[in-house]
């Protein structure tokens, strides 16, 4: 009998590990699974039909071309350009005029603008004694480029592929397991937001390209806001419909003299096992991340560099739809509280044999 080689053993182990990983990915329950099971069990106990769980989609973000800020180029005449050859500014401006420089992604354009502001400050100081006229002109350039820097920062947030994916294209619904990198992702969002302060009046700090791109990668790999917003939309739509359908059904359940019937106890168990144990924890995550990110959304909504269409999208998801989701949760819980109180039941874990 032939014995497997060491290579074949390794290959077999890798295949087994891959299978386990894939099985774990496909077997993970989502909040949609919980809602589906919740409705199916309630429908079975009540012998009725209840709303299906249909996954909603987020409305699209406005096209990048519509909400993009126009950025002025720094135009320098040949005489001044040659006067700057001993200064790094000449080289940086020349970089922008190459074919690669003209096709910069939003992140690289922002990094370039921060570098341009930094060398403007350095060159201006160097030329204050030798060429006062050119130094004064650089003051004007600096003022304009500070404005352009903020516009570039807003363009990064509104038009970059990384952040648009994170705001509008969730790869999955929010779950307890997806919370692993959530807080890191939130920190990355605030890091990207803080970059607008690097072009301060008294100090200009060039953006560290490697760190900046790493933060963007974290944002797009987690896509926390989009996952959170799609999940809150799913919960709002499904629970609103479910509460509406359940209200007359639960009211029809008899609990004579406040004594719970077997059906009432079974309904309480279904409520606990699926809503309390599975749906509500995901809702708690939504609340947690919502309040952590809310200062960021409020700052963006107040910032003049963002387009009105972009602000409308952020306001709809972070405020309007969050309130709708919160109301749906509250209404659903209130319905069950009334039913449990009428039947002298508490939302406790069912007794297991």
């Amino acid at each position: 009998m032939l014995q497997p080689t060491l290579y074949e053993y390794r290959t077999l182990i890798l295949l087994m590990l891959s299978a386990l990983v894939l099985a774990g990915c496909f077997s993970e329950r989502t909040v949609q699974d919980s809602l589906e099971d919740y409705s199916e069990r309630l429908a079975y106990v009540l012998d009725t039909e209840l709303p299906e769980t249909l996954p909603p989609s987020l409305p699209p973000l406005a096209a990048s071309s519509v909400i993009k800020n126009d950025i002025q180029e720094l135009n320098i005449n040949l005489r001044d350009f040659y006067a700057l050859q001993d200064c790094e500014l000449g080289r940086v401006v020349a970089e922008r005029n190459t074919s690669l420089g003209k096709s910069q992604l939003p992140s690289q354009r922002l990094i370039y603008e921060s570098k341009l502001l930094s060398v403007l400050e350095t060159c201006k100081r160097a030329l204050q004694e030798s060429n006062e006229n050119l130094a004064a002109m650089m003051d004007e350039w600096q003022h304009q480029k500070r404005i352009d820097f903020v516009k570039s920062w807003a363009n990064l947030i509104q038009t970059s592929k990384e952040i648009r994916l994170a705001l509008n294209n969730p790869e999955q619904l929010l779950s307890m397991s997806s919370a692993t990198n959530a807080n890191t992702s939130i920190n990355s969002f605030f890091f990207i937001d803080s970059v607008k302060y690097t072009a301060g009046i008294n100090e200009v700090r060039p953006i560290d390209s490697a760190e900046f791109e790493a933060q963007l990668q974290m944002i797009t790999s987690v896509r926390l806001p989009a996952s959170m917003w799609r999940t809150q939309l799913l919960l709002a739509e499904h629970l609103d419909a479910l509460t509406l359908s359940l209200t007359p059904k639960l009211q029809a359940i008899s609990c004579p003299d406040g004594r719970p019937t077997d059906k009432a106890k079974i309904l309480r168990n279904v409520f606990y096992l699926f809503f309390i144990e599975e749906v509500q924890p995901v809702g708690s995550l939504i609340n947690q991340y919502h309040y952590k990110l809310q200062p960021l959304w409020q700052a963006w909504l107040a910032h003049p560099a963002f387009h009105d269409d972009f602000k409308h999208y952020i306001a709809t998801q972070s405020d309007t739809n969050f309130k709708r989701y919160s109301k749906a949760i509250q209404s659903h819980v209130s319905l069950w509280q009334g039913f449990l109180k009428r039947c002298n039941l508490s939302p406790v874990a069912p007794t297991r044999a």
Side-chain angles (χ1 to χ4, degrees):
M1 182 176 179
L2 293 175
Q3 295 294 321
T5 65
L6 180 60
Y7 172 78
E8 289 171 331
Y9 268 126
R10 288 176 176 173
T11 302
L12 180 62
I13 290 171
L14 286 173
L15 288 172
M16 291 173 64
L17 288 173
S18 298
L20 288 172
V21 170
L22 288 172
C25 291
F26 288 113
S27 64
E28 182 185 358
R29 279 178 63 78
T30 68
V31 69
Q32 184 176 338
D33 296 327
S34 299
L35 288 172
E36 288 174 353
D37 289 345
Y38 182 41
S39 292
E40 287 174 4
R41 297 296 179 90
L42 289 173
Y44 178 79
V45 176
L46 294 169
D47 192 21
T48 189
E49 290 187 1
L50 292 174
E52 295 182 5
T53 309
L54 301 176
S57 298
L58 292 173
L61 270 170
S64 296
S65 58
V66 173
I67 59 180
K68 182 179 180 181
N69 291 309
D70 291 328
I71 308 297
Q72 293 186 19
E73 298 296 341
L74 187 59
N75 294 316
I76 305 176
N77 62 46
L78 282 175
R79 185 186 63 185
D80 291 335
F81 183 75
Y82 286 122
L84 294 170
Q85 291 310 297
D86 293 332
C87 171
E88 191 181 1
L89 179 61
R91 181 183 60 78
V92 173
V93 171
E95 283 179 11
R96 176 64 184 160
N97 291 326
T98 64
S99 58
L100 187 61
K102 291 179 179 178
S103 59
Q104 290 170 325
L105 294 173
S107 60
Q108 291 304 309
R109 180 59 190 268
L110 182 62
I111 291 167
Y112 168 81
E113 292 290 335
S114 76
K115 185 193 298 184
L116 184 60
L117 272 171
S118 178
V119 298
L120 267 170
E121 179 67 22
T122 303
C123 291
K124 183 181 71 173
R125 292 175 181 173
L127 291 169
Q128 279 176 341
E129 293 183 3
S130 61
N131 194 331
E132 292 183 2
N133 290 335
L134 188 53
M137 188 176 296
M138 292 173 75
D139 250 340
E140 296 177 10
W141 295 341
Q142 205 170 24
H143 173 73
Q144 181 58 51
K145 296 316 292 181
R146 288 185 193 280
I147 297 172
D148 291 342
F149 176 84
V150 175
K151 289 181 179 180
S152 294
W153 165 80
N155 279 348
L156 168 85
I157 292 169
Q158 295 182 122
T159 70
S160 70
K161 178 182 178 181
E162 295 90 347
I163 295 187
R164 287 175 70 88
L165 286 173
L167 295 178
N168 193 238
N169 293 87
E171 288 188 328
Q172 59 187 2
L173 293 168
L174 195 65
S175 66
M176 302 307 293
S177 63
S178 66
T180 307
N181 293 318
N183 287 320
T184 305
S185 172
I186 291 172
N187 291 337
S188 294
F189 265 103
F190 278 98
F191 174 88
I192 297 298
D193 180 70
S194 70
V195 164
K196 66 177 179 284
Y197 299 117
T198 60
I201 298 299
N202 299 319
E203 181 183 9
V204 179
R205 302 190 305 277
I207 296 171
D208 184 317
S209 179
E211 181 182 13
F212 192 74
E213 295 292 351
Q215 299 285 356
L216 280 178
Q217 183 57 42
M218 171 56 67
I219 286 173
T220 194
S221 65
V222 179
R223 304 188 190 184
L224 179 63
S227 297
M228 178 176 68
W229 291 337
R230 187 175 182 226
T231 305
Q232 76 179 12
L233 190 58
L234 169 68
L235 289 173
E237 290 184 356
H238 184 77
L239 291 179
D240 275 342
L242 187 59
T243 300
L244 184 64
S245 298
L246 275 179
T247 298
K249 302 298 181 182
L250 292 183
Q251 289 174 347
I253 300 296
S254 176
C255 289
D257 300 322
R259 295 192 306 274
T261 60
D262 288 343
K263 178 178 283 191
K265 292 178 182 178
I266 293 172
L267 287 169
R268 184 272 311 274
N269 291 348
V270 172
F271 171 66
Y272 184 90
L273 288 172
F274 293 99
F275 185 82
I276 298 296
E277 284 200 337
E278 295 188 11
V279 175
Q280 196 162 267
V282 175
S284 296
L285 284 182
I286 291 176
N287 294 342
Q288 177 186 340
Y289 302 146
H290 167 81
Y291 289 111
K292 285 185 176 181
L293 285 164
Q294 193 63 4
L296 182 71
W297 309 141
Q298 290 174 347
W300 287 6
L301 291 173
H303 203 289
F306 290 116
H307 194 280
D308 286 345
D309 289 349
F310 180 78
K311 290 181 178 182
H312 176 73
Y313 177 82
I314 296 295
T316 299
Q317 307 312 320
S318 68
D319 184 54
T320 305
N321 283 353
F322 178 76
K323 288 177 179 176
R324 179 187 173 191
Y325 143 80
S326 298
K327 185 177 179 181
I329 291 282
Q330 183 179 3
S331 297
H332 194 73
V333 170
S334 295
L335 170 66
W336 279 102
Q337 285 176 335
F339 169 75
L340 296 175
K341 182 178 180 181
R342 179 167 63 85
C343 295
N344 283 316
L345 290 167
S346 299
V348 296
T351 304
R352 302 181 188 274

